[in-house]
Amino acid sequence: MLIDWIIFFGLAVVAIASGIGLLLSKNAIYAALNLIANFTAVAIFYLILAAPFIALAQIAVYAGAIMVLFLFVIMLLGAERLGGTSTLRWQRPLAIVLGLILIVETVLVFINRSGAIAPIVEVTADFGSPAAIGESLFSTYLLPFEVISVLLLAAMIGAIVLTRRRDQKA
Amino acid sequence: MDVALWIEWIIKALILVLGLLTGFAYLTYMERKFLARFQNRYGPNRAGPFGLLQPVADGVKLIFKEELIPAQADKLIFMAAPIITTVPALIILGVLPFGGVVNIMGREVPLSIAGNLNVGVLYIAAITSISVYGIVLAGWSSNNKYATMGGIRSSAQMISYELALALSFVGPIMLAGSLSLADIVEEQMRIGWFIIYQPIGFVIFLIAALAEINRAPFDMPEAEQELTAGYHVEYSGMKFALFMMTEYIKMIVVSAIAATLFLGGYHLPFVTDQPWGVWLGPFILIGKIILLLWGIIWVRATLPRVRYDQLMAMGWKVLLPIALFNVFLTSVIMVLFPNWFSH
């Protein structure tokens, strides 16, 4: 389908451009906005892959809740202007080396790919529906699901303990 | 894809957007007229019969106003913020069913854009959560302390009340066993409106929705006395009109969602069940929306604004626990009396 190709490559351009924009923005607010655009593009990728639940969860949780918190903190602290010099000097060379390794590996995978692309599997009508996801979450993936919930609870308690003021100790 | 289907969708989308815009214009008139009556005044009564042309006069006035952009403002975001605010409010009703399926010239047409979307309620939650950006960015980009203060207040308020709002969706979802709004309305036709089963959920929804759309008594982000107008203090002309429009459209949107989730949507017993009643669906839904809007205006005319710390304390310490308890109670009742519900 031609339309699928156009949508896919349009989205890919948006996703990559917003990713690069996030890295290059001098202003933290613009960086956050680029990240929101990136999350939204990824959400639409999920929609194309017949996973509406994941797509909307991505928008509600990442593009919505988490990024609103980020913006809120950036604005509250007045931290939108980033400092010119980086405090971690070894970080930039290391990042370049690691990035190069990633690109080389990707190219190698593409070159050495054995055989043709796997044929597209037709998805069933209830594929990716909330009911199907809920069922697999609470049966096949019950243990990881519960482990994550305990982890999140621990993180929440940790945040509350850390932000507690000293003089409030009862 | 079927060309007729595309035409059908475009027509429906146009009707929805135009309906919301007209609704906005006449909601401002309705609010001013009702507020006037609550305060023993006449309200607008000069432009046209009963002042009915007042919204048109307001619109023409705003078009001819000078557009000011503050010198130190972040121009790009300042221009984009009104648009970012308006779009979520306009698209959120795409998943709302306005009626059953009707037959137009031999074609089965459901009276909604995507009413049977199987993640409809989640879509509403997702769009709600991104609708805060416009306000925050407008406040920040104005480079004005009152505007920034209003933007920060509104983001804090919307994050806090979003949780209670989303939890109040859970009751109807569990009762209907579906995230699709069409299924939720159909289940209400079968077992009765969900306000009977979810009185606590309905009240939580109304309070959280008022906070979510920054209406009185939760209009802290634009408290006139302290912030002059909050996040849109630097905006003028049509950009200001876009913010006003979004506020009023959001009132219509939350009323429509409340009517659909708890008050049976387009359903009215003994009327829409009849074969001739299908076309009445949208009008019944509009009637319910107008009743709820009247309630929202009544609240504004009656209650004083709450203080900011009271607002936060109420959201986190009162509304959220009650909403969680409501989810717990609903599940316990559904497990104890499985025969009442279809699944």
Side-chain angles (χ1 to χ4, degrees):
Chain A
M1 282 279 282
L2 181 66
I3 277 208
D4 287 349
W5 280 95
I6 295 172
I7 293 176
F8 176 82
F9 280 107
L11 276 174
V13 167
V14 172
I16 293 172
S18 56
I20 294 173
L22 160 72
L23 290 175
L24 298 183
S25 303
K26 282 271 175 277
N27 189 323
I29 296 261
Y30 277 92
L33 289 179
N34 273 308
L35 191 53
I36 296 165
N38 190 286
F39 283 149
T40 314
V42 172
I44 301 173
F45 275 131
Y46 291 142
L47 265 188
I48 296 175
L49 294 172
F53 182 84
I54 309 281
L56 289 175
Q58 162 94 1
I59 291 187
V61 176
Y62 285 96
I66 290 180
M67 289 316 292
V68 169
L69 269 180
F70 265 71
L71 270 188
F72 182 64
V73 171
I74 293 172
M75 282 168 57
L76 205 63
L77 298 180
E80 52 259 34
R81 304 275 165 218
L82 295 176
T85 51
S86 167
T87 46
L88 298 171
R89 285 170 183 282
W90 47 270
Q91 207 176 30
R92 186 162 292 183
L94 185 68
I96 291 172
V97 170
L98 288 179
L100 278 179
I101 292 175
L102 185 66
I103 290 175
V104 169
E105 277 187 345
T106 317
V107 171
L108 280 181
V109 166
F110 266 101
I111 292 171
N112 296 336
R113 196 177 51 202
S114 55
I117 308 170
I120 298 170
V121 185
E122 276 298 313
V123 293
T124 49
D126 70 334
F127 176 82
S129 75
I133 289 178
E135 257 182 47
S136 61
L137 267 189
F138 284 101
S139 56
T140 322
Y141 302 106
L142 183 62
L143 184 66
F145 185 72
E146 293 297 328
V147 169
I148 288 174
S149 71
V150 172
L151 189 70
L152 285 175
L153 183 67
M156 224 158 78
I157 294 172
I160 293 171
V161 169
L162 284 178
T163 52
R164 215 182 141 96
R165 266 184 286 164
R166 290 273 160 76
D167 54 318
Q168 275 184 339
K169 220 167 256 174
Chain B
M1 196 174 289
D2 190 2
V3 177
L5 201 61
W6 280 95
I7 298 173
E8 183 189 316
W9 281 343
I10 292 171
I11 292 175
K12 281 180 190 169
L14 278 178
I15 292 177
L16 179 65
V17 170
L18 291 179
L20 281 175
L21 294 183
T22 320
F24 145 67
Y26 277 89
L27 181 56
T28 61
Y29 172 77
M30 176 177 157
E31 171 159 48
R32 293 169 71 175
K33 210 73 179 166
F34 278 1
L35 272 184
R37 293 317 298 161
F38 279 122
Q39 297 161 356
N40 213 0
R41 301 183 278 118
Y42 285 114
N45 63 353
R46 286 292 182 268
F50 309 106
L52 272 172
L53 293 178
Q54 187 64 42
V56 183
D58 287 342
V60 171
K61 185 194 80 172
L62 280 168
I63 288 174
F64 286 110
K65 285 259 179 180
E66 183 184 0
E67 301 245 5
L68 285 174
I69 299 180
Q72 296 297 311
D74 192 312
K75 300 256 180 339
L76 180 66
I77 296 184
F78 189 81
M79 306 277 271
I83 303 167
I84 299 174
T85 317
T86 312
V87 170
L90 283 175
I91 62 174
I92 199 166
L93 284 190
V95 292
L96 202 81
F98 289 89
V101 179
V102 295
N103 199 320
I104 302 174
M105 293 182 288
R107 192 184 161 79
E108 299 281 306
V109 179
L111 289 177
S112 73
I113 294 175
N116 52 5
L117 186 72
N118 67 359
V119 286
V121 179
L122 202 64
Y123 172 86
I124 290 178
I127 303 294
T128 317
S129 72
I130 60 170
S131 66
V132 61
Y133 284 124
I135 292 176
V136 177
L137 292 174
W140 175 78
S141 66
S142 300
N143 203 2
N144 172 316
K145 60 186 166 202
Y146 297 118
T148 310
M149 202 64 207
I152 289 177
R153 273 189 185 179
S154 96
S155 58
Q157 175 174 330
M158 286 168 98
I159 297 171
S160 309
Y161 279 78
E162 217 174 86
L163 294 169
L165 191 73
L167 281 174
S168 71
F169 290 162
V170 175
I173 293 172
M174 285 203 292
L175 289 173
S178 168
L179 283 168
S180 145
L181 287 166
D183 288 351
I184 288 177
V185 173
E186 267 158 35
E187 184 70 8
Q188 294 185 70
M189 288 181 188
R190 209 178 61 80
I191 64 172
W193 295 0
F194 284 167
I195 188 174
I196 309 168
Y197 305 93
Q198 289 286 323
I200 309 175
F202 182 60
V203 173
I204 290 170
F205 178 90
L206 287 185
I207 296 175
L210 278 182
E212 194 69 24
I213 60 174
N214 298 330
R215 281 288 299 187
F218 305 111
D219 52 348
M220 296 305 299
E222 40 189 298
E224 295 91 350
Q225 296 89 335
E226 329 163 9
L227 297 181
T228 62
Y231 60 89
H232 56 57
V233 62
E234 294 285 4
Y235 283 88
S236 54
M238 282 317 280
K239 294 202 199 73
F240 170 76
L242 277 180
F243 280 116
M244 284 314 276
M245 185 173 99
T246 309
E247 266 184 36
Y248 283 90
I249 288 180
K250 277 183 182 168
M251 283 169 71
I252 300 176
V253 165
V254 295
S255 303
I257 295 171
T260 303
L261 287 182
F262 297 99
L263 300 178
Y266 56 86
H267 172 245
L268 190 70
F270 314 116
V271 178
T272 47
D273 303 334
Q274 311 294 331
W276 44 266
V278 184
W279 275 108
L280 288 175
F283 298 100
I284 284 163
L285 183 63
I286 290 171
K288 289 174 184 171
I289 292 173
I290 290 176
L291 273 180
L292 285 165
L293 286 173
W294 176 62
I296 293 178
I297 297 170
W298 189 0
V299 166
R300 175 181 167 183
T302 311
L303 295 178
R305 184 179 301 131
V306 298
R307 224 170 50 216
Y308 192 64
D309 58 318
Q310 292 172 333
L311 176 91
M312 283 297 160
M314 185 172 147
W316 288 103
K317 295 179 187 164
V318 180
L319 224 49
L320 188 63
I322 295 179
L324 275 173
F325 176 73
N326 184 46
V327 171
F328 170 74
L329 193 70
T330 311
S331 18
V332 167
I333 289 176
M334 284 185 70
V335 169
L336 286 184
F337 305 98
N339 297 333
W340 290 3
F341 309 99
S342 61
H343 47 87

